[in-house]
Amino acid sequence: MTDRSDLRLQIGEISSGGFSPNLKKNIAMGYVEKAYGKVGTELKVVVRGKVNDAVVTKMPFVTANYYKG
């Protein structure tokens, strides 16, 4: 992961990711430096050499809609 203003500055790392059928977009989890961890912070991620936009989001990404009893 990189700062939006400087793609050379690495500020974190993706730990896992994939496509979300519920959200119909790619999602990922990762670690960023504390200064960039605030919800809503816009970042850039490089996946297989391609630069993509990312936003720090509170988990879970999707609200669970199951019966809890």
Side-chain angles (χ1 to χ4, degrees), residues 25-48:
K25 61 174 81 173
N26 293 321
I27 61 172
M29 292 186 291
Y31 299 92
V32 295
E33 294 178 10
K34 191 172 185 174
Y36 296 92
K38 185 176 178 186
V39 172
T41 302
E42 295 182 354
L43 306 169
K44 294 283 188 182
V45 294
V46 180
V47 179
R48 296 182 190 99

Side-chain angles (χ1 to χ4, degrees), residues 1 4-5 11 15 20 29 32 36 38 42 44 47 50 54 68-69:
M1 283 183 258
R4 287 183 64 88
S5 62
I11 59 161
S15 58
S20 168
M29 292 186 291
V32 295
Y36 296 92
K38 185 176 178 186
E42 295 182 354
K44 294 283 188 182
V47 179
K50 183 179 176 188
K68 296 182 182 181

